[in-house]
Amino acid sequence: MSDPQWELSLTVQSAEETHALAAALGSVLEAGDLVILTGELGAGKTTFTQGLGEGLGVRAGIISPTFVLVRIHPSLPDGPRPGGPDLVHVDAYRLESAAEIDDIDLENTMDSTVTVVEWGRGRVEHLSESLLDVELHRPLGGAALPGTSTPDGADGVLDFDTDDDDEPRTIVIRGFGPRWAEQPLLPAALKGNS
């Protein structure tokens, strides 16, 4: 993948702030958008996806699709974006290659939905010439997790303690391709620490 068009690094203090940031981002997403989420276990990927869903105006109840691989959350006709795109939520943790991603046939829904792929880095970039890469980092951790790094370049960490939802996190968002030539406009309160 080429260099990003832009990069935004934010620090959030709680799960609520993670959700709010994602909701703001979700409100600017359109059908055809691909979002890749990377971060250790408990970093807030599902919380982030729940916020995206709120911003998109899809049915509530977003949970990690770990065991089913893919969940589709339909746009609500009486939500904030009636007629907006559905959300396709994918967990690629157990998938080992782009070929396995191709087997779940995301190409059939990509143009009409927003597709969010947890653990998708290195597996789904071939699906679109434009994407958002979102990396979530926690300050705690143990063993290094291959394929992730912190904003300072250190290896990411694997931390099974998910009870720390309200500890600070750093969220790095990178835009790739023509769709993301310009950084999206987010509320000043959210982008103030970029």
Side-chain angles (χ1 to χ4, degrees):
M1 176 140 296
S2 62
D3 291 334
Q5 302 279 356
W6 50 266
E7 180 175 301
L8 177 63
S9 182
L10 302 130
T11 300
V12 294
Q13 300 300 317
S14 65
E16 185 176 290
E17 287 184 16
T18 299
H19 185 100
L21 168 63
L25 185 59
S27 70
V28 302
L29 294 177
E30 299 173 358
D33 286 342
L34 173 63
V35 180
I36 299 173
L37 298 181
T38 303
E40 61 272 10
L41 293 172
K45 295 181 298 298
T46 299
T47 299
F48 196 88
T49 305
Q50 290 166 344
L52 288 175
E54 179 182 314
L56 282 166
V58 302
R59 183 185 304 147
I62 293 174
I63 60 172
S64 181
T66 301
F67 297 105
V68 296
L69 298 182
V70 179
R71 292 187 189 276
I72 299 174
H73 303 277
S75 178
L76 295 171
D78 58 349
R81 293 177 63 182
D86 294 343
L87 172 66
V88 173
H89 186 197
V90 180
D91 187 325
Y93 182 74
R94 294 182 295 138
L95 303 178
E96 295 184 14
S97 68
E100 287 182 296
I101 288 289
D102 291 342
D103 288 343
I104 58 177
D105 213 16
L106 293 175
E107 294 86 2
N108 282 335
T109 59
M110 287 283 302
D111 291 341
S112 60
T113 67
V114 169
T115 304
V116 176
V117 184
E118 294 186 29
W119 306 97
R121 187 180 287 160
R123 296 176 175 105
V124 299
E125 290 85 352
H126 68 285
L127 295 174
S128 179
E129 68 177 343
S130 296
L131 61 89
L132 288 177
D133 181 271
V134 179
E135 202 167 335
L136 297 97
H137 301 280
R138 296 175 61 189
L140 299 177
L145 179 63
T148 65
S149 62
T150 59
D152 63 4
D155 285 338
V157 294
L158 181 62
D159 188 337
F160 292 99
D161 183 4
T162 58
D163 294 331
D164 298 315
D165 287 341
D166 283 333
E167 67 186 9
R169 280 152 170 76
T170 300
I171 300 175
V172 181
I173 305 171
R174 297 174 187 93
F176 292 89
R179 161 75 170 104
W180 299 108
E182 300 292 327
Q183 183 176 310
L185 296 176
L186 299 174
L190 295 173
K191 63 181 185 176
N193 59 3
S194 60

